Amino acid sequence: MSSTELRRTALDATHRALGATMTDFAGWDMPLRYGSEREEHVAVRTRAGLFDLSHMGEITVTGPQAAELLDFALIGNIGTVKPGRARYTMICREDGGILDDLIVYRLGEARYMVVANASNAQVVLDALTGRAAGFDAEVRDDRDAYALLAVQGPESPGILASLTDADLDGLKYYAGLPGTVAGVPALIARTGYTGEDGFELFVRPEHAVGLWRALTEAGGGAGLIPCGLSCRDTLRLEAGMPLYGNELSTALTPFDAGLGRVVKFEKEGDFVGRAALTEAAERAVSRPPRVLVGLVAEGRRVPRSGYQVVAGGEVIGEVTSGAPSPTLGKPIAMAYVDPAHAAPGTEGVGVDIRGSHEPYEVVALPFYKRQK
């Protein structure tokens, strides 16, 4: 296999049989869309969508000092996560720059699963392995041990309930439990990246095709359709969820990204980046960094990542993500802007789109919040 050949998930043939448009995403050949991106987006908002997320990077950390290792390696307080629960956190460099944002599941007394973004999986694996020195804990690359399917949308609890006797009603957001779905052993997690209720199902790769078929059949009457990465991006954008490489990078600390709350200084002992992040926290008070805000277009032109945000002839920020919003019916964007222009309703803000300053309304994130 050449180094340029794309990796394929266990569902590759299924995607092709469904006529998916495939794309290179972080070295994986992934479905971008199956038909209409807008229809897929609306299905998740109103009914349900089925995603293949097997490109995500699973790393298992086990051993008597697994929690201590993760508390040292990550900025969150992982030692306080109860078995069966999950936590959003980040892994940072010594200088406080964000290497990746992560979800950590506590699967047992001394067993954790770290889920990294596909583009950063190797970086996170290498960092955890290096930081494990001196701890009685093992870091294992489990990327090939799992396929990951996600069912997202308001109809997803009913669809999944028809295939499992697991206690879905008792499964809280950011929790996971082992169970059986359509006869297949799975870790059932109530997590997602769409702003809707939903579940992520971690299974062995050889079970992926059968589970996809079972979910498709069970969800047919409820309007479930297969969904690609394109609508996943517009869904997370509407929900105001950051994407690594857009809103997050090594050039930013969590405080620069408005996510200082995930840095847990109160935990005992040192952790990688503590000193730099302490300085970043103090700096954010005396000299507030740019603020991540929402922008809603008054016109029809779509802003893209890297476009400049302007006001009064001055550059006041930069777009990190932009797309047409199927829910709002207008182009939207997330952007880092100077604090003076960050308040919702700020007048006179525009985006430089190929030399033309298009007017935009500054709004609070998220753009969309589901009704509980």
Side-chain angles (χ1 to χ4, degrees):
M1 176 174 165
S2 74
S3 59
T4 55
E5 192 173 326
L6 296 179
R7 298 185 70 181
R8 297 184 173 190
T9 77
L11 289 158
D12 184 74
T14 301
H15 301 317
R16 292 171 195 281
L18 288 167
T21 299
M22 306 296 285
T23 188
D24 174 359
F25 186 85
W28 290 80
D29 207 10
M30 297 297 293
L32 188 63
R33 72 183 77 80
Y34 298 86
S36 155
E37 294 166 11
R38 189 178 187 284
E39 281 178 22
E40 291 171 25
H41 181 110
V42 171
V44 176
R45 284 277 177 261
T46 59
R47 304 186 306 277
L50 178 59
F51 296 83
D52 177 13
L53 305 179
S54 302
H55 60 313
M56 299 294 281
E58 296 86 7
I59 301 161
T60 304
V61 181
T62 55
Q65 290 190 303
E68 288 90 337
L69 163 59
L70 290 170
D71 272 339
F72 170 71
L74 311 180
I75 63 174
N77 198 342
I78 307 305
T80 61
V81 178
K82 293 180 169 60
R85 297 307 301 267
R87 184 158 296 167
Y88 176 80
T89 186
M90 295 179 181
I91 183 167
C92 289
R93 300 192 307 194
E94 198 68 67
D95 67 0
I98 302 166
L99 281 172
D100 201 13
D101 61 337
L102 312 163
I103 296 180
V104 179
Y105 296 88
R106 186 172 182 185
L107 303 180
E109 193 56 42
R111 184 164 172 252
Y112 297 81
M113 181 169 68
V114 178
V115 180
N117 285 297
S119 56
N120 294 327
Q122 190 64 48
V123 169
V124 174
L125 177 67
D126 291 345
L128 286 175
T129 302
R131 295 173 189 187
F135 289 93
D136 187 3
E138 180 195 354
V139 176
R140 188 174 71 234
D141 180 1
D142 269 348
R143 283 177 288 180
D144 293 335
Y146 291 101
L148 176 56
L149 281 65
V151 191
Q152 300 280 302
E155 297 291 339
S156 56
I159 293 167
L160 193 57
S162 71
L163 295 173
T164 183
D165 56 7
D167 179 17
L168 299 182
D169 288 341
L171 187 64
K172 297 189 173 90
Y173 186 51
Y174 264 72
L177 83 170
T180 303
V181 182
V184 169
L187 171 66
I188 305 167
R190 200 164 209 152
T191 46
Y193 196 49
T194 63
E196 296 299 334
D197 192 10
F199 303 87
E200 295 184 323
L201 308 171
F202 295 85
V203 299
R204 293 189 61 79
E206 60 266 29
H207 294 146
V209 172
L211 182 56
W212 179 280
R213 284 189 189 132
L215 288 163
T216 299
E217 288 170 17
L224 174 140
I225 62 171
C227 294
L229 294 182
S230 185
C231 84
R232 189 168 182 252
D233 192 49
T234 52
L235 288 159
R236 70 94 195 164
L237 175 56
E238 286 185 351
M241 294 176 167
L243 174 66
Y244 195 90
N246 291 49
E247 287 72 42
L248 308 174
S249 73
T250 52
L252 298 172
T253 72
F255 294 95
D256 297 322
L259 291 165
R261 64 183 181 277
V262 303
V263 184
K264 302 302 182 187
F265 291 118
E266 68 272 19
K267 64 180 175 177
E268 288 181 22
D270 195 17
F271 62 88
V272 177
R274 184 191 270 273
L277 290 169
T278 300
E279 288 181 17
E282 292 166 356
R283 201 165 52 241
V285 174
S286 60
R287 197 169 70 248
R290 282 181 166 176
V291 180
L292 188 64
V293 301
L295 299 174
V296 178
E298 293 180 20
R300 309 303 305 169
R301 298 185 75 182
V302 179
R304 298 297 181 190
S305 177
Y307 285 13
Q308 292 181 336
V309 183
V310 294
E314 301 287 319
V315 175
I316 58 149
E318 186 175 298
V319 170
T320 53
S321 297
S325 165
T327 304
L328 275 64
K330 299 175 179 179
I332 60 172
M334 285 199 281
Y336 283 112
V337 302
D338 294 342
H341 296 87
T346 299
E347 303 273 320
V349 173
V351 175
D352 187 338
I353 301 181
R354 298 187 184 87
S356 171
H357 290 187
E358 300 289 326
Y360 273 74
E361 180 189 356
V362 179
V363 300
L365 292 171
F367 299 97
Y368 165 87
K369 207 169 200 172
R370 71 181 171 95
Q371 301 300 308
K372 300 289 185 190

